[in-house]
Amino acid sequence: MKSVHIPLSLLRILGVCALLVLPVPSGADEAENQIKYRQAVMKAIGGHMGASSLIVRGKVSHRDQLKVHANGLLSLSRDIAGLFPEGSDFGETEAREIIWEKWDDFRKAADESKAGIENFVRVVETGGDSDLAAAFRRVGKGCRGCHEDFRQKDE
Ligand code: HEC
């Protein structure tokens, strides 16, 4: 069978047309959505913190679930700085401009927080319960250490 020859230039034109009609993904990574996303992640982090706190303080006896919350904190905190792309500093956000002005300090705060959480996971998994309170306090200090400098205070 004889193959049909379509001139290359025609293929090119068809290709360009196809590109033009492809739906453009709208809204992906817009500042507004980046802000919503990081607030959702922070809320999830806050959820694991609240649950951990109740267990560590002995208010509930779900000690067997502490590992889940500690690891949840760690998973969500692996790349906190990555939640703050440049340009996501306006709109409905409590993120302060200073984050991008002092980016290295911000990263450091994120790393310190992560180190505290890694320690917490270790203690939860292998340490004695007597070390739990101190390890948990260090996690809280990591959150505050960043919020104090880089998050707008509520009026
Ligand atoms: C490296 C900095 C940094 C670290 C570490 C950090 N946060 Fe945040 N967090 C922020 C910033 C900045 C905001 C404001 C984000 C915004 O409004 O866009 C925020 C917002 C929040 C919010 C409010 C989310 C909302 O509803 O808008 C909660 C809750 C929160 N953080 C909990 C935590 C907890 C708990 C930890 C520690 C386990 C933690 N954060 C660690 C910087 C940090």
Side-chain angles (χ1 to χ4, degrees):
M1 206 177 92
K2 206 168 164 264
S3 63
V4 185
H5 278 282
I6 303 173
L8 197 62
S9 56
L10 183 57
L11 277 181
R12 278 215 191 96
I13 291 166
L14 287 175
V16 170
C17 289
L19 278 181
L20 288 176
V21 295
L22 274 179
V24 178
S26 72
D29 293 337
E30 270 174 14
E32 190 192 336
N33 292 323
Q34 296 276 11
I35 290 168
K36 277 188 193 152
Y37 179 74
R38 75 165 162 252
Q39 289 174 343
V41 172
M42 279 290 169
K43 259 185 213 148
I45 290 177
H48 284 301
M49 272 304 270
S52 300
S53 164
L54 288 165
I55 298 171
V56 170
R57 290 184 297 129
K59 300 285 181 193
V60 294
S61 50
H62 294 302
R63 176 64 174 84
D64 57 326
Q65 288 173 22
L66 192 53
K67 198 171 148 180
V68 170
H69 298 301
N71 279 299
L73 281 172
L74 185 58
S75 308
L76 294 171
S77 300
R78 279 198 200 286
D79 185 24
I80 287 198
L83 297 173
F84 293 84
E86 219 159 331
S88 61
D89 55 340
F90 55 88
E92 296 282 316
T93 179
E94 292 178 353
R96 295 181 61 197
E97 188 62 44
I98 197 177
I99 290 174
W100 294 276
E101 289 162 12
K102 299 196 165 181
W103 184 250
D104 287 348
D105 292 346
F106 184 70
R107 283 207 76 103
K108 220 172 109 200
D111 287 346
E112 264 165 33
S113 170
K114 192 169 72 183
I117 290 167
E118 279 166 351
N119 177 62
F120 183 53
V121 168
R122 231 178 354 256
V123 171
V124 168
E125 289 182 350
T126 62
D129 279 10
S130 55
D131 305 325
L132 269 184
F136 186 66
R137 267 199 306 277
R138 184 173 159 197
V139 176
K141 228 174 116 189
C143 316
R144 275 195 308 279
C146 183
H147 288 173
E148 268 167 19
D149 290 338
F150 298 107
R151 182 183 173 194
Q152 237 136 50
K153 314 253 179 316
D154 292 332
E155 269 97 86

